[in-house]
Amino acid sequence: MAVLSFMLISFYLLFSYSKVFAAADTITSSQNLTDGKTLISNIGSFELGFFSPGKSSNRYLGMWYKNIPVQTIVWVANRQKPIKDLSGLLLINSSTGNLVLSQNKNIVWAATLKRKAQNPVLQLLDSGNLVLREANDENSENFIWQSFDYPSDTLLPGMKLGKDFRSCLDRQVTAWKNQYDPSLGNLTWAMKVNSYPEPFMWQGSKKVFRSGPWNGVQYSGKPTFRPHPIFDFRYFNDGNEVYYMILLVNKSKIARMTVNQTTNSQHHLVWLEKKQSWDRLASVPRDFCDSYGACGPNGNCDIKKVPSCECLRGFQSKSPERWNALDYSEGCVRNKLLNCKNDGFVKYIGMKVPDTTNSWLNKSMTRNECREECLNNCSCMAYTNSDIRDGGSGCVMWFDDLNDLRVQPDAGQDLYVRVPSSELENNNGVKWKIRVIVGSASVIILGMLFVLCYRYRSRKNQKDYGSMLGYTSKEQKEDLELPLFDLSKIATATDHFSMDNKLGEGGFGPVYKGKLEDGQVIAVKRLSRSSGQGLSEFKNEVILIAKLQHRNLVTLLGCCIKDEEKLLVYEYMPNKSLDSFIFDQTQRILLVWSRRHHIICGIARGLLYLHQDSRLRIIHRDIKASNILLDSEMNPKISDFGLARTFGGDQSAANTERVVGTYGYMAPEYAMDGNFSAKSDVFSFGILLMEIITGKKNSGFYSYNDSLNLVEYAWNLWREERPLELIDEFIKETCNLSEVRRFIHISLLCLEQHPQDRPSMSSVVLMLGSDAVLPQLRQPGFFIGEHLHGGSSSQFTNSSPSINGLSITVLDAR
Ligand SMILES: *[C@@H]1O[C@H](CO)[C@@H](O)[C@H](O)[C@H]1NC(C)=O
Ligand SMILES: *[C@@H]1O[C@H](CO)[C@@H](O)[C@H](O)[C@H]1NC(C)=O
Ligand SMILES: *[C@@H]1O[C@H](CO)[C@@H](O)[C@H](O)[C@H]1NC(C)=O
Ligand SMILES: *[C@@H]1O[C@H](CO)[C@@H](O)[C@H](O)[C@H]1NC(C)=O
Ligand SMILES: *[C@@H]1O[C@H](CO)[C@@H](O)[C@H](O)[C@H]1NC(C)=O
Ligand SMILES: *[C@@H]1O[C@H](CO)[C@@H](O)[C@H](O)[C@H]1NC(C)=O
Ligand SMILES: *[C@@H]1O[C@H](CO)[C@@H](O)[C@H](O)[C@H]1NC(C)=O
């Protein structure tokens, strides 16, 4: 009997508890929500209430994740009208049935209802949707109002982005002004509806980025992993409604899309439970070619080329002077007018198709019909399939200028561009090239040819070099010392390359932390698939790299090759990379001068080994703080060496999500002409040395008084004989000032404009370690032509195309 009553009581408690709990996600018209109270969705994923963003004291009604500790606001009601005190009140007005937010009887915000409700209730759903509905009707079709129709700066899974022509809703996301002010910023992500709709990022009324239209598989200008580990991307268009949506592959993950005016980007983020932080899976725009119309009308942007802009075939730059000065805004015009009758098409492979504003679409036509239709209409400039699945279907044609084209090998599609038949005569393109050169006397194209020749030559040289050393594949089989790892073992060690184990994204692919069965901790570099290299070639290269052994180089433990997968297994460096120390407000304090001294000398020795002492004589080409790893005793170890040699040609393809980050380290001759040598590594070392001394990023430019960059700033202070002002305030007390002054001098020597004026790494090592008199300084290389007045930091923030053009072409110059 006692047991029974106990059970009854327990049942009662359980029941009433769940009732109480359930009630917390709903308000009826007799209830209200005051500041300090919140609504919590049924299973506790979201919470609605009043909040103040950051240091601001303004109060807003908003929604955030209930179950994560970092306050992340996903929706705000009164974005434009903050409440200045704690008197905010949310209720359903019993006479109008509307949802109203008021402050002392003054209405601050009100919902826009589709119709008047009889018996309305407000409910916060577990999807993060705040809905006003009839108390007895939970059908989502019948919601009277929902917050999903009025996004703030965040798109949650299941939310639509796009237009509904019946209800005239245009669902778009608009960035906050800044992290303390949710009012409408000027960065918007919205669907532009034309015959072939596509999402754009706008800055005010200016287009800044375009993801390209949906081609049945993805957006042609925005490569995504397929299958994507986190998101499922949807696109829907039935004439009444056109929208884009993200859904979660695994509902237990927390992920979102947002636009941020501070970073000037759109981000896809996922919550990492283990790290307790948000991880940026992907951000756009990524590079120069992503900025809208980077190469102007009829220009084609290829990030792998130097320079990146090229006119389409049959076109020439409209204003060669401006074009050669890296101002591409005027774009290209036809060499020869179309004669309409005898035209043909040039096929471009792997393209982000042009802006679809002036396009025409028929979903049922085939490609041949499309070609005919385009040929028959004299104003049709290009065509392609609108859906690339199953060999392609549908027809999209473009009229007038072709805008915002770029090469996008991993997401793009074929594009057929109309040219007069005379342009097609010579398919191997040699005659065509010569004609263009003669025609436009374009220095840039000559330069490009030069780079191409150079590349070809250097590739040839590399081969010759290899055979000179006698590395035939036969010999390699004999001394294969490098352990080959089993893919399944590595998959287990890294928990199937889980996001939680991702350490970062390097130049050639993501890096994961893993733990082998025997307990050894490893770092696994997963090389991007498109590196386009044969297996035996890859193996040979890896074996060569593995032979590079030096205490200031990261040790390669082995590799793994299986089908498409190519993995490199390295020793794990518990202290991560140097940039996480020198540029971090709290960590940098740990780097007292003696440690920095040790690190500087270690890097110099490692680099000297690569340049001179190793059998391969490797030019690193990407020396920067994030490529210097630190072991448990803070010994520096250079990473990613040898990869440029192996994968250099495909680096940009290898990592499309990569941000523009290494611009600040590039030597001017490498930036301008793609010429690299050991001396360009010396230049990068000089930058790194300066960064270690100052604790400032060269690429963070703007804050250095009136200087262009850190190097110029340093040079100015040096000339004014005030070099000690450069020193990081955190080391001033622990350092030997004359020694640091000497290091600044060495750094400036490494930064000389002309490669021949820079010391070799062996001289650098000598100078670092002795008191010998140092050579006089001439002119550091921060003047990379007149047009470089700024630079891009790790994000795409500057809007002047020439600047970013330079910075990006620099990045991928090989
Ligand atoms: C809000 O609700 C509380 C009780 O739930 C009530 O005491 C209060 O008067 C209400 N405030 C307004 C302004 O309706
Ligand atoms: C409800 O709305 C009506 C009409 O706008 C207004 O007169 C009334 O004061 C509102 N009631 C409340 C409780 O806000
Ligand atoms: C935008 O990004 C910056 C830098 O990552 C971050 O500090 C800020 O909180 C973000 N802004 C918003 C509104 O989330
Ligand atoms: C966008 O807003 C920011 C800050 O509010 C401002 O600095 C910038 O000039 C604006 N850009 C445009 C294109 O309006
Ligand atoms: C979804 O994620 C959770 C937690 O990360 C995991 O436990 C579960 O196995 C995943 N489910 C699937 C189907 O992958
Ligand atoms: C699309 O093309 C098909 C096949 O050529 C044609 O029958 C149809 O009328 C076209 N639709 C439109 C809207 O032009
Ligand atoms: C070419 O196509 C456009 C768009 O469909 C149309 O407006 C124009 O009349 C066509 N021109 C000719 C000559 O068919």
Side-chain angles (χ1 to χ4, degrees):
M1 188 63 200
V3 173
L4 190 65
S5 62
F6 172 75
M7 276 174 66
L8 275 173
I9 291 170
S10 316
F11 262 115
Y12 174 76
L13 283 176
L14 207 67
F15 178 70
S16 56
Y17 173 74
S18 65
K19 216 173 138 188
V20 167
F21 195 74
D25 70 352
T26 312
I27 297 181
T28 63
S29 51
S30 61
Q31 295 168 318
N32 61 48
L33 189 74
T34 52
D35 200 331
K37 296 246 164 49
T38 60
L39 289 186
I40 297 171
S41 69
N42 186 23
I43 61 164
S45 42
F46 287 94
E47 185 165 20
L48 178 90
F50 292 86
F51 73 97
S52 292
K55 60 191 179 190
S56 158
S57 59
N58 289 338
R59 302 297 286 172
Y60 296 90
L61 178 73
M63 191 193 303
W64 55 88
Y65 293 94
K66 167 75 180 156
N67 48 4
I68 67 176
V70 178
Q71 192 191 52
T72 309
I73 309 291
V74 296
W75 182 77
V76 183
N78 53 321
R79 289 183 80 167
Q80 298 293 69
K81 264 192 161 178
I83 296 171
K84 302 285 184 190
D85 56 23
L86 302 181
S87 66
L89 179 77
L90 179 73
L91 49 71
I92 302 171
N93 182 316
S94 49
S95 60
T96 63
N98 199 4
L99 180 63
V100 182
L101 177 64
S102 58
Q103 177 188 20
N104 306 325
K105 299 246 157 67
N106 296 320
I107 294 180
V108 174
W109 172 87
T112 319
L113 302 192
K114 288 180 185 164
R115 58 178 187 280
K116 186 169 185 285
Q118 302 305 311
N119 182 15
V121 296
L122 181 73
Q123 188 180 13
L124 179 59
L125 303 180
D126 282 315
S127 57
N129 196 2
L130 180 68
V131 305
L132 191 69
R133 59 175 176 84
E134 294 288 359
N136 56 6
D137 186 353
E138 295 193 22
N139 183 347
S140 62
E141 297 289 314
N142 300 334
F143 288 159
I144 297 159
W145 175 89
Q146 56 178 340
S147 64
F148 269 22
D149 284 340
Y150 303 91
S152 293
D153 67 338
T154 302
L155 201 66
L156 293 172
M159 231 159 146
K160 294 171 179 174
L161 183 120
K163 289 196 175 147
D164 185 330
F165 302 109
R166 294 160 303 190
S167 61
C168 296
L169 276 173
D170 184 2
R171 307 175 185 103
Q172 44 178 258
V173 290
T174 305
W176 289 24
K177 271 230 167 77
N178 58 54
Q179 66 198 98
Y180 310 118
D181 182 0
S183 64
L184 293 174
N186 52 22
L187 201 67
T188 303
W189 184 263
M191 186 74 85
K192 183 160 191 290
V193 177
N194 34 54
S195 68
Y196 193 22
E198 59 175 328
F200 277 80
M201 188 157 106
W202 308 80
Q203 199 169 56
S205 57
K206 189 177 138 221
K207 295 172 183 171
V208 289
F209 172 74
R210 187 172 71 87
S211 66
W214 185 259
N215 60 20
V217 177
Q218 60 188 332
Y219 294 93
S220 73
K222 205 175 159 195
T224 48
F225 287 111
R226 274 178 290 133
H228 197 280
I230 307 289
F231 293 110
D232 190 6
F233 299 94
R234 293 282 167 84
Y235 169 78
F236 179 86
N237 183 6
D238 71 350
N240 289 322
E241 200 179 9
V242 42
Y243 63 80
Y244 150 84
M245 187 187 269
I246 49 176
L247 292 168
L248 292 176
V249 173
N250 182 340
K251 294 245 164 30
S252 60
K253 288 269 192 292
I254 298 175
R256 66 198 165 105
M257 183 278 264
T258 184
V259 287
N260 184 322
Q261 186 159 320
T262 314
T263 59
N264 248 318
S265 304
Q266 182 218 56
H267 305 288
H268 282 86
L269 302 125
V270 63
W271 177 254
L272 295 186
E273 203 56 52
K274 279 195 197 143
K275 285 194 192 156
Q276 292 285 296
S277 67
W278 289 101
D279 186 40
R280 280 184 196 161
L281 288 177
S283 305
V284 286
R286 294 154 296 173
D287 55 26
F288 168 67
C289 289
D290 263 356
S291 61
Y292 183 84
C295 296
N298 307 310
N300 185 12
C301 198
D302 186 348
I303 199 70
K304 279 164 66 181
K305 291 197 173 146
V306 185
S308 296
C309 286
E310 226 174 25
C311 288
L312 289 170
R313 185 143 151 212
F315 290 80
Q316 63 190 32
S317 52
K318 187 171 178 193
S319 154
E321 297 93 74
R322 297 181 70 172
W323 184 272
N324 294 346
L326 309 183
D327 172 1
Y328 304 115
S329 53
E330 299 209 343
C332 309
V333 291
R334 288 205 180 267
N335 292 333
K336 220 193 236 178
L337 288 182
L338 290 172
N339 55 10
C340 198
K341 288 281 175 297
N342 274 322
D343 291 339
F345 295 94
V346 175
K347 180 179 177 181
Y348 283 83
I349 297 169
M351 298 293 291
K352 170 181 181 176
V353 301
D355 183 343
T356 60
T357 304
N358 292 317
S359 70
W360 174 93
L361 175 76
N362 180 328
K363 282 191 201 160
S364 53
M365 279 161 71
T366 65
R367 185 155 69 228
N368 278 339
E369 289 169 341
C370 197
R371 183 191 164 89
E372 286 308 310
E373 186 77 21
C374 188
L375 273 181
N376 290 336
N377 185 325
C378 292
S379 46
C380 173
M381 294 297 149
Y383 75 91
T384 189
N385 281 135
S386 56
D387 189 332
I388 60 168
R389 286 173 298 184
D390 305 325
S393 63
C395 173
V396 51
M397 303 195 299
W398 281 268
F399 305 96
D400 304 327
D401 285 332
L402 302 175
N403 287 313
D404 195 35
L405 273 165
R406 79 169 289 180
V407 176
Q408 187 73 77
D410 34 10
Q413 61 190 79
D414 296 347
L415 179 73
Y416 300 84
V417 177
R418 184 182 203 133
V419 291
S421 51
S422 56
E423 291 286 344
L424 288 170
E425 276 162 15
N426 198 331
N427 258 337
N428 64 25
V430 172
K431 229 179 181 176
W432 167 76
K433 265 184 195 153
I434 292 167
R435 205 179 298 155
V436 171
I437 289 163
V438 173
S440 66
S442 159
V443 177
I444 287 288
I445 291 180
L446 269 172
M448 236 169 55
L449 279 174
F450 173 74
V451 169
L452 283 175
C453 292
Y454 180 86
R455 266 197 217 156
Y456 175 67
R457 233 184 43 215
S458 62
R459 220 171 275 161
K460 240 175 96 179
N461 286 347
Q462 256 175 31
K463 266 193 205 137
D464 295 342
Y465 190 60
S467 53
M468 220 165 67
L469 289 174
Y471 292 144
T472 63
S473 54
K474 207 174 168 192
E475 256 169 86
Q476 242 124 57
K477 271 191 202 105
E478 282 156 18
D479 62 1
L480 203 157
E481 296 148 13
L482 184 70
L484 288 174
F485 284 82
D486 212 26
L487 181 58
S488 61
K489 272 205 186 118
I490 293 185
T492 315
T494 57
D495 198 5
H496 298 273
F497 303 101
S498 75
M499 292 309 301
D500 292 341
N501 280 328
K502 190 167 155 184
L503 292 170
E505 188 88 32
F508 304 90
V511 182
Y512 299 86
K513 182 177 174 179
K515 198 168 179 184
L516 294 174
E517 268 170 5
D518 63 6
Q520 186 179 12
V521 186
I522 51 170
V524 180
K525 179 156 236 162
R526 194 178 194 181
L527 298 168
S528 310
R529 285 151 197 234
S530 49
S531 61
Q533 213 191 17
L535 273 192
S536 58
E537 223 177 329
F538 172 76
K539 260 191 213 160
N540 288 347
E541 286 288 356
V542 170
I543 289 167
L544 294 182
I545 295 173
K547 284 186 179 152
L548 301 173
Q549 298 277 348
H550 187 273
R551 78 191 125 105
N552 294 115
L553 300 183
V554 177
T555 309
L556 181 64
L557 300 174
C559 71
C560 165
I561 309 167
K562 180 106 197 283
D563 302 329
E564 295 274 87
E565 290 285 2
K566 291 176 188 162
L567 306 169
L568 295 176
V569 181
Y570 291 99
E571 58 178 330
Y572 174 69
M573 291 288 136
N575 276 324
K576 305 219 178 89
S577 56
L578 183 57
D579 61 334
S580 64
F581 281 89
I582 51 177
F583 304 133
D584 187 279
Q585 283 308 323
T586 53
Q587 301 275 64
R588 69 203 291 181
I589 302 164
L590 300 172
L591 283 190
V592 293
W593 173 245
S594 59
R595 275 210 175 115
R596 294 192 198 205
H597 184 285
H598 177 69
I599 289 171
I600 291 165
C601 295
I603 300 167
R605 281 191 298 262
L607 206 47
L608 171 62
Y609 173 82
L610 285 178
H611 283 181
Q612 220 168 8
D613 301 347
S614 73
R615 291 161 71 191
L616 294 176
R617 305 201 167 202
I618 291 211
I619 298 169
H620 190 291
R621 290 196 247 177
D622 204 9
I623 289 288
K624 56 179 172 181
S626 59
N627 268 341
I628 307 299
L629 305 185
L630 298 166
D631 72 5
S632 55
E633 284 154 11
M634 301 294 280
N635 294 309
K637 300 203 174 211
I638 300 174
S639 73
D640 267 9
F641 53 86
L643 291 184
R645 175 189 146 103
T646 313
F647 297 98
D650 280 302
Q651 187 163 351
S652 72
N655 181 7
T656 51
E657 300 291 359
R658 178 169 153 180
V659 291
V660 182
T662 39
Y663 165 63
Y665 294 90
M666 292 288 178
E669 75 279 4
Y670 187 7
M672 295 309 288
D673 309 323
N675 278 338
F676 60 86
S677 64
K679 293 292 181 72
S680 28
D681 272 356
V682 172
F683 186 93
S684 309
F685 173 79
I687 298 280
L688 186 56
L689 177 50
M690 192 63 84
E691 291 185 335
I692 296 173
I693 293 169
T694 58
K696 294 188 172 76
K697 273 196 177 105
N698 186 42
S699 50
F701 287 19
Y702 302 112
S703 50
Y704 307 123
N705 301 340
D706 288 334
S707 309
L708 284 182
N709 54 29
L710 181 58
V711 180
E712 195 201 43
Y713 178 58
W715 174 243
N716 289 342
L717 286 180
W718 181 266
R719 275 193 310 196
E720 292 163 24
E721 313 219 327
R722 304 186 292 155
L724 298 182
E725 287 176 30
L726 280 168
I727 305 174
D728 188 344
E729 58 201 277
F730 289 106
I731 55 167
K732 267 205 174 130
E733 280 163 23
T734 59
C735 72
N736 170 343
L737 287 177
S738 68
E739 188 173 45
V740 180
R741 190 193 147 92
R742 185 178 170 82
F743 277 31
I744 293 173
H745 191 158
I746 297 171
S747 161
L748 288 170
L749 282 171
C750 295
L751 297 172
E752 288 286 2
Q753 170 89 18
H754 298 294
Q756 66 271 20
D757 294 338
R758 294 175 210 148
S760 65
M761 276 323 287
S762 56
S763 319
V764 170
V765 169
L766 276 177
M767 291 190 289
L768 288 172
S770 72
D771 292 330
V773 179
L774 299 175
Q776 284 288 311
L777 289 171
R778 290 165 197 243
Q779 166 75 73
F782 49 81
F783 297 116
I784 310 177
E786 291 175 3
H787 301 279
L788 193 75
H789 277 274
S792 74
S793 57
S794 68
Q795 286 294 333
F796 193 89
T797 46
N798 199 297
S799 59
S800 166
S802 58
I803 293 160
N804 282 305
L806 203 51
S807 68
I808 311 288
T809 55
V810 161
L811 174 74
D812 288 295
R814 300 272 144 210

